[in-house]
Amino acid sequence: MKIFRIEQVKLIDSYTIQHEPIASIDLMERAAHALFGWFRNRFHNNRKVIIFCGPGNNGGDGLALARMLLNVGYNVHTYYLSSKSYSEDFNTNLVRLKESSSSIYMINGPKDFPKIEPDDIIVDALFGSGLSRTIEGLAAELISFINSSNAFVVAIDIPSGLFGEENPVPNSNPVVRANYCLSLQFPKIAFFMPENEEYVKDWRTLPIGLHPDAIEQTPSPYFYTTLSDISTNLLNQSKFAHKGSFGHVLIMAGSYGMMGAACLCSKASVRSGVGLATLFIPKCGYEIVQTAVPEALALTDSNDTHLTGYPDLNKFTAICVGPGIGQDTETASMISSLIKNSTKPLVIDADGLNLISKNIDLLQELKAPAILTPHPGEFDRLFGKSSSSWEQLQKAISMAQRYGVIIVLKGAYTRVVLPNGEVHFNSTGNSGMATGGSGDVLSGIIAGLLARGLDPKDAAITGVFVHGLAGDLAADDFGKVSLCATDILNYICKAFQHLTKK
């Protein structure tokens, strides 16, 4: 799914109005029907609904929603801010609402704020995504009043006061803290930034029928990866296939006390359908991996406790290096040599990234495609700290382009940043996956898919999606609190089954 900046969405709206064609007020009605359908499925009509409307089209959406809820028996009270001017569609919907309700109130000052009970539902329709400046005055006081209530808050399109892309950090602006946000047609890029979680605790998009030609023709580097975006071609296996048909991955992982990372990574590669997996480990890990990962071949370094070299790379189709390898100076020399000499695609994770961060110019010597999989701390060590997630994302785009690498920036909505400037936000995964070993499983999945023959872009995007989906399926059975990396690993099979059902 494409994601657009706010100014682009305005153009898509305008194109829809002109080329469908449809009147602006009718497009608003369509949006209100989508809001109404979600609202009716979610909340019983025995709870009071308080809708706060601003003077623009976001307020018009709220007025239209109020009318529809009233018509099916909801107890709706509508409040709108006094203003010198209102949008044309706002005025039209205000007239329509007055034909259905007498519970409509203008807010001229704080004395007009209603009493709110904890069981009430608040709908924030004050200011939509078109907001371009900080909210002040009476509207700011109203937002503070809403945030001080204990009621459940639903925001239409975007929480009022939040900008669609970049926001200040820390954010001292007046912003509605919404329990749920109903974003029209597309998610907002701001939803994917962790510092905005207090304003957007949960969200979903509601299709409103914007013109498909406008969506297709409007360029955007931002995408949201859902099930429909994942190709299932990798699952079409010939009945005449053999293990040599699905690639051979080399996993360079582990050190004394860190062999669990090697086991998790290699098991994940095997579960991802690679034909052959070989582990290259220090001598101390030989018995461990032969017992824990019987499906994998094992080769050992000459050193007992850490990696100092690597085997002949010619027979492998992809390489993963980094999980649990430590940061010994000999291991650093190995990483440097591997990067300068490997012509096989690489997945670089964990300590592999930490070692590169001490000599970032190594990335300029890559001879093969590379996928880097840092968590935010590793990313900061590689490329420097950022003042916000938005700045960090822009830096990831710049670094991916500079070095010609794919950066998988891990976290909620894991971002796959491509060398062409594209950013693919992931839709799967949950907070229970924030646990030791989860990243080792991810790098193993990506490396397995890469070895199977997927191009680096598809291997990264698909691997991230499958990893998150496995975590979601595991959380359905075990809950998020007790989720561990082995659970994610064991549910990779079910994740791929889920894809085949598509």
Side-chain angles (χ1 to χ4, degrees):
M1 174 197 294
K2 276 185 180 179
I3 306 173
F4 299 98
R5 296 178 71 108
I6 298 303
E7 61 267 21
Q8 291 178 301
V9 177
K10 293 177 184 177
L11 294 174
I12 294 171
D13 281 344
S14 298
Y15 185 99
T16 302
I17 291 168
Q18 294 171 16
H19 292 84
E20 185 170 335
I22 183 173
S24 175
I25 188 66
D26 294 329
L27 183 60
M28 181 177 287
E29 193 76 359
R30 186 189 291 173
H33 271 292
L35 296 166
F36 167 73
W38 179 89
F39 204 96
R40 194 176 186 186
N41 287 331
R42 180 68 180 261
F43 300 112
H44 195 273
N45 65 2
N46 61 354
R47 297 173 67 180
K48 185 169 73 173
V49 180
I50 301 173
I51 302 181
F52 292 105
C53 300
N57 281 354
N58 192 248
D61 291 332
L63 295 172
L65 173 63
R67 168 170 42 86
M68 294 175 188
L69 291 173
L70 281 163
N71 289 340
V72 293
Y74 282 81
N75 178 19
V76 181
H77 296 255
T78 306
Y79 294 80
Y80 64 98
L81 286 170
S82 62
S83 176
K84 294 179 180 179
S85 64
Y86 298 94
S87 73
E88 182 179 346
D89 291 343
F90 176 98
N91 284 325
T92 299
N93 270 314
L94 183 60
V95 171
R96 291 177 177 177
L97 180 60
K98 287 180 176 178
E99 294 173 355
S100 304
S101 172
S102 59
S103 299
I104 307 169
Y105 312 95
M106 179 184 286
I107 297 177
N108 293 291
K111 60 181 175 53
D112 298 319
F113 295 168
K115 182 179 180 181
I116 299 176
E117 301 293 342
D119 197 45
D120 294 344
I121 301 166
I122 293 174
V123 176
D124 164 29
L126 291 172
F127 301 97
S129 55
L131 190 71
S132 59
R133 58 183 176 83
T134 302
I135 296 173
E136 299 175 339
L138 180 60
E141 293 182 71
L142 178 55
I143 288 174
S144 178
F145 174 74
I146 290 171
N147 290 340
S148 67
S149 76
N150 293 317
F152 191 92
V153 180
V154 178
I156 294 178
D157 204 30
I158 191 169
S160 292
L162 191 69
F163 299 127
E165 289 91 36
E166 185 176 11
N167 287 272
V169 178
N171 194 345
S172 58
N173 293 340
V175 182
V176 168
R177 296 189 179 97
N179 299 92
Y180 218 99
C181 180
L182 303 176
S183 188
L184 302 178
Q185 191 75 43
F186 314 105
K188 309 299 184 286
I189 296 172
F191 295 174
F192 304 114
M193 305 297 142
E195 56 263 33
N196 297 328
E197 183 182 15
E198 65 175 303
Y199 311 114
V200 192
K201 292 184 177 64
D202 207 347
W203 60 270
R204 69 168 296 176
T205 57
L206 299 180
I208 62 170
L210 294 184
H211 205 295
D213 289 348
I215 295 172
E216 182 179 351
Q217 294 167 14
T218 304
S220 175
Y222 299 107
F223 299 85
Y224 185 53
T225 304
T226 62
L227 181 62
S228 62
D229 300 307
I230 300 298
S231 170
T232 55
N233 289 339
L234 78 161
L235 304 174
N236 298 326
Q237 298 184 350
S238 166
K239 63 182 177 181
F240 296 105
H242 52 83
K243 62 186 178 183
S245 304
F246 302 118
H248 190 171
V249 67
L250 173 65
I251 307 292
M252 300 177 62
S255 58
Y256 185 80
M258 293 289 289
M259 291 311 303
C263 295
L264 288 168
C265 184
S266 55
K267 282 184 176 182
S269 287
V270 170
R271 286 295 193 189
S272 299
V274 71
L276 288 166
T278 292
L279 272 160
F280 187 71
I281 51 174
K283 285 182 179 179
C284 66
Y286 183 74
E287 292 183 0
I288 295 171
V289 301
Q290 288 280 268
T291 304
V293 197
E295 300 89 351
L297 304 170
L299 300 173
T300 61
D301 192 272
S302 60
N303 189 279
D304 287 334
T305 60
H306 57 268
L307 296 179
T308 63
Y310 49 87
D312 182 358
L313 304 179
N314 288 324
K315 64 182 178 180
F316 303 107
T317 51
I319 301 165
C320 177
V321 61
I325 62 174
Q327 298 185 49
D328 189 273
T329 54
E330 291 180 300
T331 307
S333 297
M334 177 274 292
I335 284 283
S336 177
S337 176
L338 180 69
I339 286 175
K340 293 175 182 178
N341 294 294
S342 176
T343 58
K344 303 299 173 70
L346 295 166
V347 177
I348 307 175
D349 186 33
D351 282 327
L353 299 172
N354 291 327
L355 290 169
I356 291 172
S357 71
K358 299 173 183 178
N359 183 13
I360 194 66
D361 290 339
L362 274 174
L363 294 178
Q364 294 178 330
E365 303 196 50
L366 283 163
K367 290 182 171 60
I371 301 171
L372 315 184
T373 58
H375 58 56
E378 291 163 345
F379 181 89
D380 288 348
R381 284 191 285 275
L382 281 166
F383 303 118
K385 291 187 177 181
S386 305
S387 61
S388 68
S389 298
W390 173 259
E391 181 181 314
Q392 186 182 63
L393 179 61
Q394 301 312 305
K395 187 178 292 182
I397 295 169
S398 176
M399 294 300 104
Q401 292 173 324
R402 174 184 297 182
Y403 296 111
V405 297
I406 294 174
I407 298 175
V408 176
L409 187 50
K410 296 183 289 193
Y413 308 110
T414 290
R415 291 144 283 182
V416 179
V417 184
L418 305 181
N420 65 0
E422 288 183 3
V423 178
H424 295 256
F425 296 96
N426 187 49
S427 63
T428 58
N430 61 81
S431 59
M433 298 174 70
T435 183
S438 177
D440 302 320
V441 174
L442 173 60
S443 58
I445 295 172
I446 295 173
L449 294 174
L450 195 60
R452 286 194 64 170
L454 271 70
D455 66 56
K457 169 186 173 180
D458 289 340
I461 293 172
T462 303
V464 167
F465 185 88
V466 169
H467 178 253
L469 180 57
D472 288 340
L473 295 170
D476 286 344
D477 285 347
F478 302 120
K480 297 176 184 177
V481 174
S482 299
L483 200 66
C484 68
T486 302
D487 298 327
I488 302 168
L489 175 68
N490 291 336
Y491 274 73
I492 293 173
C493 297
K494 287 188 177 292
F496 277 111
Q497 280 185 319
H498 200 78
L499 292 185
T500 62
K501 292 177 182 178
K502 185 182 87 166

